[in-house]
Amino acid sequence: MSRVFNFSPGPATLPEPVLRQAADEMMDWQGSGMSVMEMSHRGKEFMGIHAETEANLRELMGIPANYKVLFMQGGAIGENAIVPMNLIGRTGSADYVNTGEWSKKSIKEAKTYGKVNIAASGEAGNFTSIPNQSQWKLDANAAYVHICSNETIGGVEYHWTPDTGAVPLVADMSSNILSRPIDVSKYGLIYAGAQKNMGPSGLTVVIVRDDLIGNSLPVTPSAFDYKTQADNDSMYNTPPTYAIYIAGLVLKYVKQRGGLAAMQEHNQAKAKLLYDYLDQSRFFSNPVAPADRSLMNVPFKLRDDALDDAFLKGAQARGMIQLKGHRVVGGMRASIYNAMPIEGVRALVGYMREFEAQHG
Ligand SMILES: *Cc1c(COP(=O)(O)O)cnc(C)c1O
């Protein structure tokens, strides 16, 4: 068996012990005589897996008791509609901060369901920094303020938590959930697709404060109504059972490795290796303001983009894949989520050094 270093932005690399355990349990989960994939979501085996997964997420993230954890389907793009359908009705409008491609998608989708104010935008700076909160124009009457805590494509990340006063803060954390400790009580709602840092695709996690539930617009499909899902412990429709099981294994693995503080240390060390190299290089560069650089997604460019293909080919030959940047920004992107070992980043930097020596 040979495993590559997979720098994919998502679906992304998973911890090897998780994959091994899933393989071991594929045919017969803990003496049940069946695979988790084959279980009734209402049977005691799966109910146990579901409860344990939620309990571990609550413990790792320190989720307060007055928040519901919902395991849904539809992905973060689904939530771009589901969030306003459930929350915007309270006042009819919401504030959005535009920090790049994923914010733009959220904004576009929300406009169908209410009035959207752009409270701040990084567009003038080509989305290379997070607008300072002193420049935000927040509306006290907004139903919520929406941010994308880590822009997976542009590589900018909030390393601070906005203060939105009495207006609930909503965050798309798809690409940095579980990467470091956060104070959940500062948010009204957090959502994330699982396939970056938490598990396989198909599962969307929503963490929502109790008092925000129950305000959905009449058009809201029942399966996407937070109240229906909360009242039914995320079992109103069949939840993505196998994805929940794998996410559960990932959460146990993160706990074993020391929890989110340990993940943060590990992620900082990896990102530092890469950014330090980029900053001293005269051949490779990253455009993002140092204070706002993502620890998860590191976009970078070669001085001469005619060499992009050669760079990618050489990486592939050395067992490093999925380094091509998003077409919107071009160049390269290394996604270095929790499950990327530091050896992968060392191998990448070593190859970049070699490539620069040859072509720089
Ligand atoms: C990947 C990603 C999405 C899209 O998630 P889907 O599961 O494809 O809907 C949305 N927001 C962010 C920040 C992402 O990284």
Side-chain angles (χ1 to χ4, degrees):
M1 187 197 67
S2 99
R3 299 260 306 159
V4 292
F5 288 124
N6 178 2
F7 293 93
S8 167
T13 190
L14 284 164
E16 267 187 40
V18 166
L19 297 175
R20 278 182 215 287
Q21 187 174 344
D24 285 347
E25 294 177 339
M26 180 58 80
M27 300 301 284
D28 176 8
W29 182 82
Q30 299 189 5
S32 66
M34 57 186 159
S35 166
V36 175
M37 248 182 269
E38 304 170 300
M39 288 176 183
S40 162
H41 58 298
R42 300 191 194 281
K44 68 171 180 356
E45 293 93 348
F46 184 75
M47 297 280 269
I49 291 171
H50 185 115
E52 190 183 21
T53 303
E54 176 177 339
N56 279 331
L57 184 66
R58 284 186 176 276
E59 183 188 328
L60 273 171
M61 292 184 69
I63 300 173
N66 63 323
Y67 285 69
K68 291 282 187 293
V69 172
L70 308 177
F71 293 142
M72 298 177 66
Q73 307 201 44
I77 293 181
E79 289 301 321
N80 282 344
I82 296 166
V83 166
M85 279 195 277
N86 278 276
L87 303 190
I88 210 166
R90 274 198 314 129
T91 70
S93 76
D95 284 346
Y96 276 71
V97 177
N98 181 6
T99 49
E101 294 308 311
W102 287 114
S103 303
K104 283 197 253 178
K105 280 209 168 65
S106 301
I107 289 164
K108 188 161 175 245
E109 192 83 21
K111 284 179 177 166
T112 308
Y113 305 99
K115 189 168 166 286
V116 169
N117 309 307
I118 307 302
S121 173
E123 190 150 24
N126 207 18
F127 299 116
T128 52
S129 64
I130 303 277
N132 197 294
Q133 202 186 322
S134 61
Q135 300 154 8
W136 295 16
K137 294 194 172 63
L138 295 175
D139 174 7
N141 191 46
Y144 59 90
V145 180
H146 181 283
I147 63 167
C148 176
S149 59
N150 182 67
E151 287 281 358
T152 321
I153 293 170
V156 294
E157 180 174 9
Y158 286 79
H159 296 290
W160 46 281
T161 311
D163 179 2
T164 54
V167 179
L169 178 62
V170 171
D172 176 357
M173 287 197 187
S174 294
S175 52
N176 69 347
I177 194 164
L178 302 179
S179 67
R180 59 183 155 104
I182 57 156
D183 182 352
V184 174
S185 72
K186 294 201 166 132
Y187 298 82
L189 186 149
I190 291 165
Y191 65 93
Q195 71 271 24
K196 278 65 187 265
N197 222 6
M198 212 170 7
S201 60
L203 166 65
T204 317
V205 171
V206 175
I207 301 163
V208 55
R209 211 173 63 210
D210 284 339
D211 61 291
L212 300 177
I213 298 174
N215 296 296
S216 62
L217 299 175
V219 296
T220 310
S222 53
F224 293 149
D225 191 315
Y226 295 146
K227 180 152 174 38
T228 322
Q229 289 295 2
D231 289 349
N232 290 280
D233 286 327
S234 305
M235 298 259 186
Y236 172 74
N237 55 339
T238 310
T241 51
Y242 197 77
I244 291 169
Y245 157 70
I246 299 288
L249 297 184
V250 170
L251 293 170
K252 279 191 220 169
Y253 167 84
V254 171
K255 262 173 71 169
Q256 275 165 11
R257 291 209 33 197
L260 300 192
M263 283 300 120
Q264 178 172 36
E265 228 175 90
H266 163 69
N267 291 326
Q268 280 169 340
K270 284 183 294 179
K272 184 171 165 24
L273 269 180
L274 195 43
Y275 286 119
D276 280 356
Y277 179 71
L278 287 166
D279 284 346
Q280 60 76 51
S281 169
R282 295 171 59 190
F283 184 77
F284 294 100
S285 61
N286 165 283
V288 178
D292 300 327
R293 284 172 168 177
S294 171
L295 298 189
M296 299 280 97
N297 310 96
V298 183
F300 60 91
K301 282 199 162 130
L302 280 62
R303 196 174 54 205
D304 176 3
D305 63 12
L307 291 168
D308 283 3
D309 283 344
F311 180 79
L312 288 166
K313 256 200 197 136
Q316 174 110 33
R318 289 163 179 76
M320 291 177 277
I321 67 156
Q322 296 272 13
L323 284 160
K324 193 174 167 66
H326 191 276
R327 65 194 136 69
V328 173
V329 291
M332 305 295 146
R333 168 177 47 171
S335 294
I336 49 174
Y337 299 117
N338 286 355
M340 173 58 67
I342 196 156
E343 292 75 24
V345 180
R346 282 206 193 101
L348 175 61
V349 170
Y351 169 55
M352 289 165 75
R353 190 171 282 126
E354 186 191 324
F355 194 89
E356 177 167 359
Q358 210 167 64
H359 300 277

